[in-house]
């Protein structure tokens, strides 16, 4: 049983890699777009049917405008860097939803929601571009499929751990499984999630710059996020996200390179 579990895990890890076009790195991914996108589109439609979608307002129009510019910028970069057709199955949609939660998200395949609660912090169109650029980057880099793949391996590992202790007392089995759960969460899953957030910050910064938005504004947005939170956040190693200070530092350091990349696409000034 232990050998079978290990064999399955190794097989999946070896055969299920996909290259991230923005980083050139191989990523763990068991799930294709044809598997992910229909599920995401159905969940998105269900979410919209259960929530208040804001239509026709200046803010709603801004969300659509920024989303379209970000999507177009992503396609231009991908086409120019040897990935034509990468977005062929994406079905872009941009919606503003009435909700005081400070959040936004993009599902696999390009389905975007921005909550009204984030608008006081974004403040303007460029602030929205920071947020949408980051969320779109998650979809472009297949982070959703990677998280599901990592979760699958975590479950396989749990089966292996259970098999390894099957001849032990219930107390030992219990302690071992608790240790495995805590260790895999703190040592693997949370760092994995933080790496995705950092990757999406960097990719999003580049895309927003190509779309003509000033990447210098990204760090300023996160300064406002930090102020809004009152500085209250868990230690970084216990969080799915990098700390606000880490993000501000990274985004400040990356902004010049994002501008330089945008200039390759004829962008000479930024909004």
């Amino acid at each position: 049983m232990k050998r079978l579990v290990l064999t399955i895990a190794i097989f999946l890890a070896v055969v299920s890699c996909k290259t991230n076009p923005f980083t050139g790195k191989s990523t763990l991914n068991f799930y294709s777009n044809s598997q992910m996108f229909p599920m995401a589109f159905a969940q998105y439609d269900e979410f919209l049917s259960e929530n208040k979608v804001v239509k026709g307002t200046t803010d709603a129009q801004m969300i659509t405008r920024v989303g379209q510019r970000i999507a177009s910028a992503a396609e231009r970069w991908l086409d120019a860097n040897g990935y034509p057709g990468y977005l062929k199955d994406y079905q872009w949609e941009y919606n503003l939803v009435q909700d005081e939660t400070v959040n936004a998200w993009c599902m696999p395949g390009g389905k975007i929601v921005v909550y009204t609660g984030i608008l006081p912090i974004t403040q303007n169109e460029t602030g929205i571009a920071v947020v949408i650029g980051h969320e779109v980057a998650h979809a472009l880099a297949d982070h959703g499929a990677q998280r599901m793949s990592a979760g699958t391996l975590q479950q396989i590992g749990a089966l292996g751990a259970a098999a390894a202790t099957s001849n032990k007392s219930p107390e030992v089995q219990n302690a071992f499984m608790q240790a495995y759960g805590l260790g895999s969460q703190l040592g693997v899953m949370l760092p994995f999630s933080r790496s995705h957030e950092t990757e999406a910050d960097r990719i999003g910064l580049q895309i927003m710059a190509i779309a003509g938005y000033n990447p210098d504004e990204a760090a300023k947005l996160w300064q406002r996020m930090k102020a809004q939170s009152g500085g209250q956040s868990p230690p970084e190693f216990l969080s799915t996200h990098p700390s606000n200070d880490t993000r501000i530092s990274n985004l400040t350091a990356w902004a010049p390179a994002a501008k330089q990349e945008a200039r390759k696409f004829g962008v000479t000034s930024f909004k």
Side-chain angles (χ1 to χ4, degrees):
M1 176 64 177
K2 288 183 284 186
R3 187 173 297 174
L4 175 61
V5 170
L6 180 61
T7 300
I8 293 171
I10 292 173
F11 175 77
L12 288 174
V14 169
V15 304
S16 303
C17 290
K18 182 177 179 181
T19 299
N20 181 328
F22 293 92
T23 65
K25 297 178 181 177
S26 293
T27 60
L28 182 72
N29 188 348
F30 305 158
Y31 301 97
S32 65
N33 289 351
S34 62
Q35 293 172 294
M36 294 293 294
F37 287 8
M39 291 189 297
F41 297 163
Q43 290 172 7
Y44 187 78
D45 289 341
E46 182 179 0
F47 174 86
L48 294 182
S49 71
E50 295 172 352
N51 290 270
K52 183 179 179 181
V53 180
V54 180
K55 295 287 189 182
T57 67
T58 300
D59 286 337
Q61 292 167 357
M62 177 178 64
I63 299 303
T64 298
R65 181 171 63 252
V66 173
Q68 289 172 341
R69 288 180 64 165
I70 294 291
S72 176
E75 186 164 22
R76 289 173 65 199
W77 189 94
L78 288 161
D79 288 349
N81 285 274
Y83 292 89
Y86 187 89
L87 301 176
K88 65 181 177 65
D89 295 323
Y90 280 63
Q91 297 180 19
W92 297 105
E93 190 172 347
Y94 325 93
N95 280 291
L96 179 64
V97 168
Q98 186 67 47
D99 191 308
E100 293 309 305
T101 305
V102 179
N103 200 15
W105 42 265
C106 179
M107 282 189 162
K111 300 294 189 178
I112 296 167
V113 160
V114 177
Y115 294 141
T116 54
I118 206 170
L119 297 181
I121 300 172
T122 56
Q123 294 185 351
N124 52 43
E125 186 167 326
T126 303
I128 285 293
V130 176
V131 171
I132 292 182
H134 172 89
E135 299 304 335
V136 164
H138 279 307
L140 296 176
D142 295 321
H143 286 164
Q146 289 179 49
R147 282 194 296 272
M148 286 179 61
S149 300
T152 298
L153 282 184
Q154 187 183 36
Q155 290 171 5
I156 291 173
L159 290 174
T165 58
S166 59
N167 61 343
K168 305 294 182 181
S169 69
E171 292 78 12
V172 170
Q173 291 181 43
N174 229 11
F176 192 87
M177 292 305 295
Q178 287 181 359
Y180 169 80
L182 183 61
S184 63
Q185 189 69 9
L186 293 179
V188 179
M189 299 303 287
L190 289 179
F192 192 58
S193 180
R194 289 194 297 273
S195 73
H196 282 175
E197 293 301 324
T198 298
E199 191 172 270
D201 278 347
R202 191 162 197 167
I203 295 170
L205 198 70
Q206 180 175 293
I207 295 170
M208 70 172 287
I210 295 170
Y213 296 105
N214 187 355
D216 291 331
E217 294 299 313
K220 296 177 184 177
L221 170 70
W222 279 100
Q223 287 167 353
R224 296 195 294 273
M225 286 282 197
K226 179 181 177 181
Q228 187 271 342
S229 69
Q232 300 299 313
S233 59
E236 187 169 278
F237 79 97
L238 291 176
S239 177
T240 57
H241 290 59
S243 70
N244 290 326
D245 288 336
T246 295
R247 300 183 96 154
I248 291 165
S249 177
N250 286 341
L251 291 165
T252 301
W254 295 333
K259 290 180 181 178
Q260 185 176 355
E261 186 68 19
R263 292 188 186 102
K264 297 178 184 178
F265 293 84
V267 180
T268 56
S269 60
F270 298 95
K271 184 178 179 66

